[in-house]
Each structure stands twice: as structure tokens, then as C-alpha cells.
Amino acid sequence: MKTKIISAILGTMFSIAVFAQGNKTETFKVYGNCNMCKAKIEGALKKKDGILSKKWDVEKKELTVMYDTSKITIEKIGQKVADAGYDNQYAKAKDETYKKLDACCQYERPKK
Ligand SMILES: [Cu+2]
């Protein structure tokens, strides 16, 4: 019982410390094809929204993003990328947005 309380307190303190730090870096799956996709995916994420850095890896199809947790969440970041037409771990692009992508950028969509 006592250890449970202690670990709960430590867990809370740890979360607060992480939260207070403010910046977080995450890497997640974003579907896409080429360097044009890269420009659009990265272009969808703006500094004013709390994005500190972004890099989409064209080989791995992974986006690494550093963001200010007081301004944006990872789910919202995923939504912004989806709004640009790119399915990802957190959100799915609308069909009409996907269809507007250039032919070379119409990546094979994940089945869900
Ligand atoms: Cu492309």
C-alpha cells in the first residue's frame, strides 16, 4: 500500500516535471511518397502553432516533431498533417483532400 502511494506521488511529480519542461519531441508514422510530400507535410506545421522543429523522413515515412506542449497536442499536430492530405498515426485525411494531391503524391493509403 505504502509503496503504491509513493510510486503514485513519484509518477505525478515526474509528469509535472515533464509538463513544466514544455517541449516535447515525438516521432510518428505519416504516409507519403516524395520530397513534394515532405514540403507539404512540414509546411502544414507552423511555428505560431507551437511547432519548434519538424522533419519528415522520406525513407522511413516518419515525422519527427518538437513542439510546445502548452500550445499544441500531438493529436492536433496529426490533424494538421491530415488536413494537408496525409494519413498518419493520429488522424486520417478526408478523401477529397487526398484526391487533390498531385498524382505522384497519392501514396498508398493504410487500410483501416
Ligand atoms: Cu509527393
Side-chain angles (χ1 to χ4, degrees):
M1 189 62 194
K2 213 173 184 182
T3 42
K4 257 190 183 171
I5 293 168
I6 290 168
S7 66
I9 292 169
L10 284 177
T12 311
M13 278 167 59
F14 181 71
S15 334
I16 291 168
V18 168
F19 185 74
Q21 210 183 2
N23 299 345
K24 206 170 170 188
T25 304
E26 282 192 50
T27 298
F28 62 98
K29 182 87 185 173
V30 177
Y31 291 82
N33 284 338
C34 62
N35 276 312
M36 238 162 85
C37 299
K38 180 177 166 74
K40 278 188 260 180
I41 292 165
E42 293 177 357
L45 303 171
K46 307 234 183 328
K47 203 176 173 183
K48 66 171 171 60
D49 296 320
I51 307 297
L52 303 165
S53 75
K54 67 247 175 161
K55 189 174 177 280
W56 185 67
D57 189 311
V58 67
E59 300 294 329
K60 291 185 194 158
K61 321 291 184 205
E62 278 178 356
L63 175 68
T64 299
V65 63
M66 195 210 283
Y67 61 101
D68 182 340
T69 56
S70 69
K71 289 188 177 166
I72 198 161
T73 62
I74 195 69
E75 288 79 14
K76 281 185 190 157
I77 293 171
Q79 190 55 56
K80 281 183 184 297
V81 171
D83 289 346
Y86 295 92
D87 291 344
N88 61 78
Q89 201 176 313
Y90 296 101
K92 204 161 181 277
K94 286 186 182 146
D95 288 343
E96 64 252 43
T97 315
Y98 172 82
K99 281 178 198 145
K100 273 185 209 152
L101 294 174
D102 292 276
C104 70
C105 291
Q106 293 194 354
Y107 55 93
E108 204 174 312
R109 300 190 88 177
K111 288 181 192 86
K112 253 186 197 173

